Amino acid sequence: MAVLRLNHIYKVYQGGVRAVNDFDLTIKDKSFVVLVGPSGCGKSTTLRMIAGLESITAGQLYIDNVCVNDLESKDRDIAMVFQSYALYPHMTVYQNMGFGLKLRHQKADVIKEKVLKAAEILEITDLLDRKPKELSGGQRQRVALGRAIVREPNIFLLDEPLSNLDAKLRVQMRTEITKLHEKLQTTFIYVTHDQTEAMTMGDVIVVMNKGFVQQADAPVTLFEDPSNLFVATFLGSPQMNIISGKIIKNSGKTRFLLENIEENFIELNERAVKQIEHSSLPLEKEYLLGIRPDQIKLSKEGIPAHVEAVEQLGDETLIYVSIASHKGNITLKAPLTIGVKSGDDVKIEINRDKIYLFDKETEHSLIGLPSLNKIPCSFNEGKLIFDKGSSIDMNDEFFMHLLDRAKEGKAFFAIKPEAIELKGNEDNIPINITVDFKEERTNYDIIYAIIGDEKEYIVFRAPKGNDIKNKDAMTIYLPIDKIRIIDDNGDSLFSKERIYKNVAKAKLSTKKDGKRIISISGGEKLVYESLPYEDGEYDFELKQDKCHPVYERKKAKKLNLPETIAPKNQCLSASCYDEDPSNNTNIVYAKIAGFEDYITIQIPYSFSVYKLPKFKLYVPEDGFALK
Ligand code: ADP
Ligand code: MG
């Protein structure tokens, strides 16, 4: 048995490279999980943390409910296979496969039994007496796998094991590794940068980019409901076409204008129109429309296009066309030869039932299954309140994590559709909804529903075979720890740590020249030209989002950040304790002399406590209050 739980795992290398951020996933026993993404996205780092070859900066790794963060690699019951086979050249295949067992002082007859069994599974019995140099690439990789199998580990980790093989062999070994997984009945975690390899091998595919998990789902789900632009364009070949434009309403119709050209529109279908109406999507903004190449066809009526190139690929044809104002080509995948050639003027028709829509800034998917349910909300007296008055009772603990900005400005309640549950328990909050409609997918149905009289949809997945019908009144359950509070840009207003009060005792006095001095008791002094307070003793309260770190020229250069200038006597020395980064901002917990607890501030993402464990915090005049 091996259930793996990666609980909000981070890896920051010395020097500040954030290789893995907030990796949060449970891996079921016996599953085949593939980590896929471009080079440098953090796949190997994640695998190496699981293997125990790399320390975990933050978060916990559990194997069968035991935290193994501090367990040495050799004690983790894990075997790892690398891209380079790392076979011992002077040993035979038999010796290579048995070497690890020999090191563990296993008896010769036990080693023999295990090596022969593994060789049989891998069909390399007749190679056992050969040396690595007498083997082909594929055979060597099989030996490397054999070396892992003989250890009978609970978890197999494979890091791009097929990258050194030629294309044909890669396809063949792909099937063999899948078969091996079936035979061994253990958990496999497989790393590749090749999307086809990922899609054909994994039960669950974890798509990563720039150190963040983009989506973890079954292959068909990633294809049907990509959660953002990255996933949508990373998977699928040829790539999904992406076209920019505005959404306009015109005499009862809602249209997407391709590149904002009025004549080049797509009439949105009823579902899309409903979803746009029931969301907080501002219509004045531009969006990105996504359409896969096989969902566009040539037609008599439609959008004028110019054929730039035609590629015959045996049973299908790829047609590359240009349309007005669109940079780059749009790809059409047609089943057979269609009588068009490069230079032709044609018309294209986009299947409006298969379009995707993405936010230009966050790149989140907005229609169909959205990346996030995002509903405007405010907070009052222990409640989270939606615009039309529906509310959820939140406990005190919840409010201890909420940044001040959430209570002051525009905040959104956010939850991923897949986090919403249909059964109640102690750790989730019931909420009554009315179903508007339902849409079918391969692995689940998508339910579009409304909380009370609110305008926005709350969208979730219901397992196949559910009996949910349009207009049903029902209860859904929100896991407390999956609720997020974000701002308009998708930045978190909810911190993983409890928020500290940011309060110190201070004395305000006036110098002869009229300058005002705040002396933080047990701490430093701050000097201002004028302040709207009388001299006296106060509670000095540092605002969470008005102060920022100062980088002098030298430091700025070293950190590759813009230099910041601030009066020296308006800065406090801070030493970091932890951080909680989201899109553009980072919630930082730090120690400042005179403050009882740690202080909590929200500053730009470019700052990392790992880059700068000690820093000067600029406290502008509006960066604090005296009470
Ligand atoms: P992948 O396997 O997806 O190609 P890696 O996990 O190897 O990516 O690397 C993720 C990021 O971490 C990259 O930016 C890489 O340069 C950086 N990195 C990897 N190993 C180290 C290291 N030992 N020290 C510092 N940075 C590293
Ligand atoms: Mg790698």
Side-chain angles (χ1 to χ4, degrees), residues 13-14 17 19 37-46 54 159-160 191:
Y13 284 111
Q14 232 145 37
V17 177
S39 178
C41 71
K43 307 179 296 289
S44 295
T45 303
T46 306
E54 204 69 73
D159 194 351
E160 313 229 17
V191 162

Side-chain angles (χ1 to χ4, degrees), residues 145-265:
L145 285 168
R147 205 170 36 183
I149 295 173
V150 294
R151 291 187 39 202
E152 297 171 353
N154 262 335
I155 304 163
F156 272 87
L157 305 178
L158 303 102
D159 194 351
E160 313 229 17
L162 307 183
S163 299
N164 282 348
L165 306 181
D166 64 49
K168 197 173 147 209
L169 205 54
R170 236 174 15 231
V171 175
Q172 193 187 330
M173 282 300 286
R174 213 149 81 189
T175 340
E176 297 207 8
I177 290 179
T178 316
K179 275 198 227 150
L180 185 64
H181 172 245
E182 276 160 26
K183 273 188 209 160
L184 296 176
Q185 294 281 314
T186 47
T187 307
F188 274 48
I189 307 176
Y190 186 101
V191 162
T192 178
H193 63 271
D194 179 342
Q195 57 125 332
T196 322
E197 214 167 278
M199 291 298 258
T200 49
M201 296 177 82
D203 316 323
V204 173
I205 298 178
V206 182
V207 183
M208 297 180 72
N209 189 32
K210 295 184 180 158
F212 287 88
V213 171
Q214 305 291 311
Q215 191 173 3
D217 258 313
V220 60
T221 298
L222 293 172
F223 203 75
E224 287 177 343
D225 288 314
S227 123
N228 59 33
L229 185 68
F230 180 82
V231 178
T233 51
F234 187 73
L235 304 173
S237 170
Q239 234 185 31
M240 183 187 284
N241 295 293
I242 303 295
I243 308 165
S244 179
K246 277 187 180 153
I247 300 167
I248 59 153
K249 273 192 194 167
N250 202 337
S251 51
K253 309 264 187 201
T254 305
R255 293 169 168 177
F256 185 90
L257 305 186
L258 302 176
E259 302 297 348
N260 297 334
I261 292 177
E262 211 141 320
E263 301 81 48
N264 290 355
F265 63 85

Side-chain angles (χ1 to χ4, degrees), residues 379-567:
F379 302 92
N380 198 5
E381 294 181 356
K383 285 183 194 304
L384 183 160
I385 306 162
F386 297 111
D387 276 0
K388 298 278 188 291
S390 308
S391 67
I392 309 176
D393 289 328
M394 303 306 271
N395 58 17
D396 294 345
E397 181 67 27
F398 174 85
F399 283 94
M400 282 183 214
H401 294 258
L402 204 58
L403 293 188
D404 291 341
R405 202 148 66 84
K407 293 167 229 163
E408 292 154 6
K410 214 171 164 192
F412 294 86
F413 158 92
I415 190 162
K416 289 185 174 173
E418 63 268 29
I420 295 175
E421 294 171 2
L422 300 181
K423 287 200 185 78
N425 65 40
E426 282 168 18
D427 296 321
N428 59 29
I429 303 171
I431 185 158
N432 295 330
I433 54 156
T434 314
V435 175
D436 194 10
F437 68 99
K438 148 170 160 177
E439 211 183 1
E440 296 202 1
R441 290 291 196 267
T442 307
N443 286 344
Y444 47 81
D445 293 337
I446 306 177
I447 313 291
Y448 301 81
I450 286 173
I451 303 170
D453 296 322
E454 301 306 319
K455 175 167 154 261
E456 287 77 16
Y457 277 147
I458 185 155
V459 185
F460 55 95
R461 301 177 182 188
K464 281 286 177 195
N466 64 75
D467 56 2
I468 300 171
K469 290 180 292 298
N470 292 3
K471 308 303 163 207
D472 271 1
M474 62 182 283
T475 306
I476 54 173
Y477 300 86
L478 313 175
I480 298 166
D481 61 339
K482 298 281 167 62
I483 296 176
R484 292 285 168 268
I485 305 301
I486 57 174
D487 68 10
D488 222 358
N489 299 320
D491 281 315
S492 184
L493 298 175
F494 188 85
S495 89
K496 68 175 178 191
E497 305 266 342
R498 277 190 184 190
I499 288 170
Y500 304 103
K501 281 213 180 73
N502 288 6
V503 174
K505 295 268 175 240
K507 203 168 121 192
L508 176 63
S509 55
T510 310
K511 278 212 292 196
K512 273 198 203 112
D513 59 3
K515 288 205 171 123
R516 313 294 307 276
I517 303 177
I518 299 172
S519 313
I520 293 171
S521 135
E524 292 163 290
K525 287 187 171 56
L526 295 164
V527 182
Y528 298 89
E529 285 303 320
S530 66
L531 289 174
Y533 301 96
E534 313 232 315
D535 283 358
E537 310 252 334
Y538 289 96
D539 276 343
F540 175 89
E541 192 184 321
L542 201 65
K543 297 235 172 96
Q544 288 166 354
D545 60 342
K546 291 284 192 303
C547 305
H548 62 79
V550 179
Y551 314 110
E552 298 121 19
R553 184 174 302 165
K554 241 165 103 189
K555 212 166 248 168
K557 205 166 165 199
K558 197 173 144 213
L559 299 171
N560 199 15
L561 290 168
E563 181 186 351
T564 47
I565 298 165

